[in-house]
Amino acid sequence: AEQLPPGVHELTATAPDGRTARAHLIVAPPRLPTPAGRSYGLLVQLYSLLSRHSWGMGDLGDLGELAAWAGRTLGAGFLQVNPLHAAVPGPPTDPSPYRPSSRRFPDPVHLRIEDVPEFAHVTDHDRVRSLLQRAGRLRETVLQQGALIDRDAVWELKREALELVREVPLGPGRRAAYCDFLAEQGTALEDHATWCALAEVHGSDWHRWPAALRDPRSAETARARGELMDRVDFHSRLAWLTDTQLTASQRTAREAGMPLGIVHDLAVGVHPGGADAWAQQEYFAAGMSIGAPPDAFNARGQDWGLPPWRPDRLAASGYAPFRDLLKALFRYAGALRIDHVMGMFRLWWVPHGHPPTEGTYVRYDAEAMLAVLVLEASRAGAMVIGEDLGTVEPGVREALRERGVYGTSVLWFERDWEGDGRPLPPESWRADCLATATTHDLPPTAARLTGEHVDLRDRLGLLTRPLAEERAEAAADTAEWLDLLARLGMLQGAAGGTDTSSEEAEIQAVHRYLLHTPARLIGVWLPDTIGDRRPQNLPGTWDQYPNWRLPIADAKGRPVTLEDLAASQRLHALIEILKNQVSPSGD
């Protein structure tokens, strides 16, 4: 191994009797390098961040604009977004970014149409004018009329625009770049685009397709691909355009002075009816889905409806699907957040038709998977953040730390659980983590401080105990934290005032506390900067709550544009606290 370059090598040994054996050897650096100094960054769900140029939901143009502003004006070191994986098409499209059709290829719904060079050369000016007018009306229904983000309506408009764009011939340079992308992505892109084309004809669940088309390698599938080659090329082109804009966003972030740039999110699995599950059937366990066992928060356990990778098939391939997935994401990521990173060690498998209580843990070769992760991240010069919240078996966090993978620490969960259960003092936090006040699955800080998150769950019938009891427990939890903040001298009047009991002052104090921990990365939930009360996702709900469809709003629930955020005095007052202690260079 010491004589081999970093990579995954296939070794062959031959016995005297002629028998041969093959194995893969993963040669990887021992760990990822630790970033110099510390930095802070913004956390945002991209779809929720509308600007005056969005077509009804946040897009990659908005991502680049936010990165440029946050890096140059706010001194932010990174910008973390939700998974931008390709979704299973609707209507209705599942709005959750954590149940994608493909994790390897991004979703073209995020494209900024005006930034596609060929769009400026569309000759049907009346169609273009109509598209822009309809996009403006769609944007205003969200920003002015309080409508929910309608992903399907946005995609209907963008697809119409992209059909027009495709009629514009690519210039020689653009054509060469597209051909290079096709060659680099190879069979994986061909499979993805073929699935997209077949889904237009037969629906978005490949299990319901004609039997011969359920096999991506069948002669019938090859024949259908030929017949639909025009549509296969269309979807390949969309993947290229989206990859191009994602790469541009990362370049913009780095040019703005961000040492990390864009932190992308890797979902824990894929939709069973989607492109990855169709194209990589041999790597997924049929008849199984992943979830979580019963715990103190959910006595019935959880079934996430996502098929698990087979550890034996992964190992036999030298972890090729995992390697290819990481390579694809690191193309445009300064860092990668891995959702439920514990899944690299074990996953709770639930047989179809059975409750989660009848599932079992299935182990993966964590040493091999971590080696692949470190190998690909090192090649890309990127760092990795693992979402290690919830039930974490002993040894997992230690193994991740040894390989240089950061963890995730959320303020409200950091208590002395082995002692008196009180809030953990800042000096007792770990350093190799991303420290935050909240996440996309938790209440915004303003809602937690005011107890509004309990009232919301009560209105939706989600409480398992009397409302008064839930309110009292939440208030006691918050009071303990506020008492600690006050004793540490972190509660000060907001924006130069003297009222230390105001919600804005308390949110500022929470972030002062994060700065006093040794955490090398500090994350600020962007909606917290303007007092947004509404969670982007409320676990345990489906149609009772508009998960993944809310624009960022102020404390009164009024949608706020990117331009409004940039001018917000409340945001700048909070960020000033962070800028005084953390520089964009990570010092």
Side-chain angles (χ1 to χ4, degrees), residues 139-156:
R139 177 175 61 248
E140 294 309 306
T141 60
V142 176
L143 295 176
Q144 301 298 329
Q145 301 175 28
L148 297 176
I149 292 170
D150 188 340
R151 183 191 183 104
D152 289 323
V154 173
W155 177 234
E156 182 180 351

Side-chain angles (χ1 to χ4, degrees), residues 329-464:
L329 293 173
F330 281 131
R331 285 172 61 89
Y332 42 74
L336 185 64
R337 174 192 182 270
I338 299 182
D339 189 49
H340 194 73
V341 71
M342 298 83 76
M344 297 176 64
F345 295 78
R346 65 179 185 179
L347 281 171
W348 186 257
W349 285 24
V350 181
H352 289 177
H354 293 261
T357 53
E358 296 181 13
T360 189
Y361 276 118
V362 174
R363 291 200 170 275
Y364 293 76
D365 188 338
E367 183 179 0
M369 295 193 74
L370 283 172
V372 170
L373 177 62
V374 170
L375 173 65
E376 297 303 335
S378 297
R379 284 172 165 173
M383 73 171 299
V384 178
I385 303 166
E387 186 268 304
D388 55 352
L389 303 174
T391 302
V392 184
E393 66 175 320
V396 167
R397 290 194 173 107
E398 292 76 9
L400 294 171
R401 184 172 60 250
E402 288 175 3
R403 304 312 296 266
V405 177
Y406 275 32
T408 302
S409 293
V410 178
L411 180 133
W412 310 102
F413 300 155
E414 292 297 313
R415 288 176 171 271
D416 182 10
W417 298 114
E418 296 181 0
D420 57 13
R422 293 185 178 277
L424 204 62
E427 65 273 11
S428 298
W429 284 42
R430 53 182 170 171
D432 49 351
C433 75
L434 167 65
T436 70
T438 190
T439 73
H440 58 269
D441 282 333
L442 296 172
T445 304
R448 188 177 288 274
L449 289 169
T450 59
E452 292 179 38
H453 65 303
V454 176
D455 295 335
L456 173 61
R457 294 181 65 82
D458 178 58
R459 290 196 300 272
L460 297 175
L462 300 176
L463 298 183
T464 57

Side-chain angles (χ1 to χ4, degrees), residues 248-289:
S249 296
Q250 171 62 1
R251 183 170 57 249
T252 296
R254 298 301 292 269
E255 290 174 350
M258 290 186 173
L260 286 180
I262 310 299
V263 181
H264 284 279
D265 199 348
L266 174 62
V268 69
V270 296
H271 194 286
D276 283 2
W278 174 72
Q280 301 178 0
Q281 292 175 47
E282 67 269 30
Y283 296 111
F284 289 100
M288 295 285 175
S289 64

Side-chain angles (χ1 to χ4, degrees), residues 105-175:
F105 295 100
D107 198 312
V109 75
H110 300 111
L111 281 169
R112 169 66 64 86
I113 299 298
E114 294 92 332
D115 288 350
V116 177
E118 289 73 31
F119 185 67
H121 301 290
V122 173
T123 57
D124 192 338
H125 300 297
D126 289 339
R127 289 276 300 282
V128 170
R129 189 179 305 110
S130 173
L131 280 168
L132 293 175
Q133 290 172 346
R134 289 155 59 198
R137 289 195 294 270
L138 187 58
R139 177 175 61 248
E140 294 309 306
T141 60
V142 176
L143 295 176
Q144 301 298 329
Q145 301 175 28
L148 297 176
I149 292 170
D150 188 340
R151 183 191 183 104
D152 289 323
V154 173
W155 177 234
E156 182 180 351
L157 281 179
K158 291 191 176 183
R159 181 174 58 187
E160 184 178 338
L162 291 165
E163 297 283 5
L164 291 174
V165 164
R166 189 164 169 266
E167 297 174 3
V168 178
L170 294 174
R174 293 274 289 169
R175 168 60 63 179

